[in-house]
Amino acid sequence: MLPAALITIALGFFGVLAAKGLRDLAAFAVVGSMGTLLAAVAVFQPDAMSAALYYTVHSTLAAAALFLVVDLIAVRRGEYGDAINVGPRFQDVEKLSALFFLAAIAMVGLPPLSGFIGKLLILDGVRDAAGGYWIWAVILITTVIGILGFARAAAGSSGRAPPSRGTATPAASTAAARPSPWRRASSPCWPWRPSSPDR
């Protein structure tokens, strides 16, 4: 059971890092969280079991909060949906960004939220168990991977201000300066050019 739990943790948090959408990211985070829970149960130690019960409540609430925040972001982004790519600023972007930040901290297990306490209890509970060092290594490494994945998602789905109307992009300026073939063909002087005064 322990190898399956460790593989589940790795798949979940590597999925967080590679996710293309916010809903996929939330789903992979739940997979990694369940792997962490299974790793605590797999050692069959009383302290680890107690930590697993505590972590069950935390992970359930944190996952529900993350899915709710992700859905609110996807609805407000319109055609961009939950895709992890930069789009225009959307309604309540500051509030939803703060909520996403809190939900990410809860899922990864960083202080000061309860996920940090839960992971500490799990690590302490499996310390003397067979294979405990593998659990320590996988949980700590995947925590770092989860932080990178959530940071990537936050940066990739954040809203940006649209360009001002008076500022033209280089492509637009070039297109405006170069007459289109239709305009040249419809011009009464095309394809002849007016003779220069010195000719």
Side-chain angles (χ1 to χ4, degrees), residues 57-124:
V57 178
H58 157 78
S59 60
T60 302
L61 297 176
L66 180 60
F67 273 108
L68 289 174
V69 173
V70 163
D71 188 66
L72 290 174
I73 293 174
V75 169
R76 281 163 174 74
R77 294 187 76 205
E79 61 181 3
Y80 288 86
D82 71 329
I84 300 178
N85 54 8
V86 179
R89 291 178 64 84
F90 50 90
Q91 184 182 3
D92 298 328
V93 59
E94 292 85 3
K95 296 178 182 178
L96 291 177
S97 297
L99 291 176
F100 181 81
F101 177 73
L102 292 175
I105 288 178
M107 289 301 297
V108 173
L110 294 179
L113 300 183
S114 59
F116 178 70
I117 300 174
K119 281 196 173 182
L120 280 183
L121 292 175
I122 290 175
L123 293 175
D124 184 65

Side-chain angles (χ1 to χ4, degrees), residues 13 16 25 29 66 100 103-104 107-108 145-155:
F13 284 104
V16 169
L25 177 139
L66 180 60
F100 181 81
M107 289 301 297
V108 173
I145 293 173
I147 293 171
L148 295 176
F150 276 101
R152 166 183 165 270

Side-chain angles (χ1 to χ4, degrees), residues 130-143:
Y133 54 91
W134 282 108
I135 300 175
W136 271 68
V138 172
I139 287 180
L140 294 178
I141 292 172
T142 53
T143 297

Side-chain angles (χ1 to χ4, degrees), residues 172-179:
S173 302
T174 304
R178 185 189 305 119

